[in-house]
Amino acid sequence: SYKERDRCYIKGKEELCWVPGVDPEKGAVVSVCRNGDGAGDGAAVSRGKDKYLVAELLRNKVGEAEFNVLFTSRASAYFGGLLGFVTGSRKFMMKAEELRALLDGLPVGENLITDAAVAFALERVDRAKVEEGLRECWELLEGSRLAERRRKGLIGWVGGQTEGWADGHIGALFEELWLRGAELRELERLKDGAKVGVVGSKELEEGLERGGIEVDR
């Protein structure tokens, strides 16, 4: 029977790739599918938290499991490697190292803080509404690889802070992203040909990227 085969499967690779985001026009929390095909206008977006919460549970589960291959559909799990052999395609399964690379590369924290910084830059929604969305995602952000890097290497150090949001201070997150929003506005101003002020576009981009903002999105 199928159960006796005891194989791990998911409903497509994309099921693992949902991360939290903020709608820059409304400030509401959304789920964004970051499956390596880009972000922003090119990424699938779903209203609410359901998609990324389910994805996080799945990521934790497959991350703890011990297996050599993760199948990407129920049928491929049932037939083992036969579908891939017959079709010549590897899309029906993922090896453990492929899965680790996928999970390590998912921009869970980066997607969220970039969305929030863009919302602050556009100023089309109340600051309090964006902060409310960030609070909803705070636990996931704290556990992200971005937060881990911040704690280890002080990436994105801002304004002489000795402690930041990665140390558990959500107020520092709000202040930093408000600043990042201003930096994004200035960067767009410079790209539109405005006169360079105290800081040039290159320095702005480097500072934003160090802080985890996806400038190229």
Side-chain angles (χ1 to χ4, degrees):
S1 72
Y2 171 72
K3 289 185 178 180
E4 290 171 349
R5 294 174 182 265
D6 195 24
R7 291 172 177 150
C8 296
Y9 76 94
I10 53 176
K11 298 175 183 177
K13 182 181 73 172
E14 293 76 15
E15 196 172 30
L16 296 172
C17 296
W18 292 91
V19 299
V22 174
D23 184 335
E25 300 286 343
K26 300 178 181 178
V29 174
V30 295
S31 298
V32 183
C33 187
R34 297 292 301 270
N35 62 0
D37 297 328
D41 293 339
V45 178
S46 176
R47 288 188 297 177
K49 302 183 290 183
D50 291 352
K51 292 278 190 181
Y52 85 71
L53 288 177
V54 170
E56 182 67 9
L57 287 172
L58 284 173
R59 289 194 290 265
N60 290 336
K61 188 168 185 176
V62 299
E64 294 168 358
E66 294 184 5
F67 55 84
N68 295 320
V69 172
L70 176 68
F71 294 93
T72 55
S73 72
R74 183 181 178 89
S76 59
Y78 183 82
F79 291 107
L82 184 60
L83 285 178
F85 177 78
V86 171
T87 63
S89 173
R90 297 182 61 201
K91 70 177 183 178
F92 298 105
M93 63 183 72
M94 294 177 67
K95 291 186 177 180
E97 56 267 27
E98 292 177 279
L99 175 64
R100 283 194 295 271
L102 172 69
L103 298 183
D104 288 343
L106 276 178
V108 175
E110 291 88 345
N111 192 83
L112 178 62
I113 68 170
T114 299
D115 278 359
V118 169
F120 286 146
L122 294 175
E123 296 184 311
R124 294 174 185 168
V125 63
D126 227 20
R127 176 175 176 173
K129 181 65 176 175
V130 180
E131 291 179 356
E132 179 185 335
L134 289 169
R135 287 184 190 278
E136 288 186 47
C137 306
W138 175 239
E139 186 176 343
L140 193 57
L141 180 59
E142 275 193 299
S144 68
R145 287 175 174 79
L146 174 62
E148 184 180 351
R149 293 198 300 273
R150 290 282 295 257
R151 286 190 289 269
K152 288 181 177 178
L154 296 178
I155 328 174
W157 178 85
V158 176
Q161 291 179 349
T162 55
E163 292 185 317
W165 64 261
D167 301 298
H169 303 283
I170 194 169
L173 174 67
F174 299 155
E175 294 305 317
E176 179 177 329
L177 293 183
W178 186 253
L179 172 62
R180 298 302 187 195
E183 290 175 337
L184 285 172
R185 282 196 303 274
E186 176 64 8
L187 182 59
E188 285 303 305
R189 191 183 73 86
L190 294 176
K191 286 182 176 180
D192 288 340
K195 184 178 179 180
V196 178
V198 178
V199 182
S201 58
K202 182 180 179 181
E203 291 84 355
L204 282 169
E205 285 187 6
E206 290 174 349
L208 287 161
E209 288 171 353
R210 282 197 303 272
I213 304 298
E214 297 177 309
V215 179
D216 294 333
R217 201 201 284 181

